[in-house]
Amino acid sequence: PFINKELIIGKYTDSNAIDDYPIHYDDVTSSHTTTDNTEPYTIYYSKSVEINNKIYIFGGSIDNYNDTHLNNLYEFNTTTCNLAKIQLESIDGDSSNIPSGRRDHSMVAIQSQSNIYIYGGLIYRGYNGPRTYLRDFYKIDTTTNYSTKIELRPIDDDHSNIPFVET
């Protein structure tokens, strides 16, 4: 299914040279566009993980120094070459359980549980603008699309080595 198609996750520029950190969807035919009929676009500073032959892509921004940080989760099915935007649902209806838009975050997958974990990140306001460093932690269940904020608690007495979630 990958003949004459290209999905680049990593570093890419228009000259095909390695640069920056965008995800670029190129030469995706009309039969392989997103399932919600939106056009794929370049996303900078997002993260991706793989679970069960699907690549999950979260966050990022739509240009290097834009104030628009995404909290979109995309699922790319490597078997069908379909790209779908996943609507995250809060486990209890509380919108604070869904990660806010961000870039430069950490993201890992636990295959046996079909879970994605997202930690921290950065909100970048323009080239020389202020930056907000995030220290929150989320779990996303890819089988249900439920998202849950996890409150981190210290495990040592002096609390010096433990990240805290700001509430």
Side-chain angles (χ1 to χ4, degrees), residues 58 71-73 85-90 97-99 118 140-141 144-147:
F58 180 81
N71 72 336
N72 299 338
L73 178 65
K85 184 176 177 183
I86 304 300
Q87 181 67 43
L88 293 176
E89 301 289 334
S90 174
N97 278 315
I98 296 175
I118 297 171
I140 297 172
D141 183 330
T144 64
N145 300 331
Y146 282 128
S147 177

Side-chain angles (χ1 to χ4, degrees), residues 59-126:
S61 57
I62 57 175
D63 74 27
N64 265 334
Y65 303 108
N66 195 318
D67 288 350
T68 303
H69 296 82
L70 306 173
N71 72 336
N72 299 338
L73 178 65
Y74 290 97
E75 175 188 89
F76 180 75
N77 186 315
T78 61
T79 305
T80 65
C81 292
N82 283 330
L83 179 68
K85 184 176 177 183
I86 304 300
Q87 181 67 43
L88 293 176
E89 301 289 334
S90 174
I91 192 93
D92 61 2
D94 182 355
S95 63
S96 70
N97 278 315
I98 296 175
S100 61
R102 65 193 60 219
R103 60 184 260 182
D104 297 321
H105 48 286
S106 297
M107 189 163 99
V108 297
I110 308 296
Q111 292 274 350
S112 62
Q113 301 171 1
S114 297
N115 290 333
I116 297 170
Y117 292 87
I118 297 171
Y119 175 75
L122 176 65
I123 297 173
Y124 199 92
R125 301 291 181 205

Side-chain angles (χ1 to χ4, degrees), residues 39 43 90 94 101 119-121 135 138 165:
E39 289 299 317
I43 305 171
S90 174
D94 182 355
Y119 175 75
R135 300 185 320 177
Y138 295 88
V165 173

Side-chain angles (χ1 to χ4, degrees), residues 156 158-164:
D156 64 354
D158 68 3
H159 312 296
S160 60
N161 298 316
I162 304 301
F164 287 92

Side-chain angles (χ1 to χ4, degrees), residues 18 24 43 52 54 72 79 137 148 153 156:
I18 293 177
H24 185 81
I43 305 171
N52 299 324
K54 295 177 181 173
N72 299 338
T79 305
F137 191 56
T148 307
R153 301 288 179 229
D156 64 354

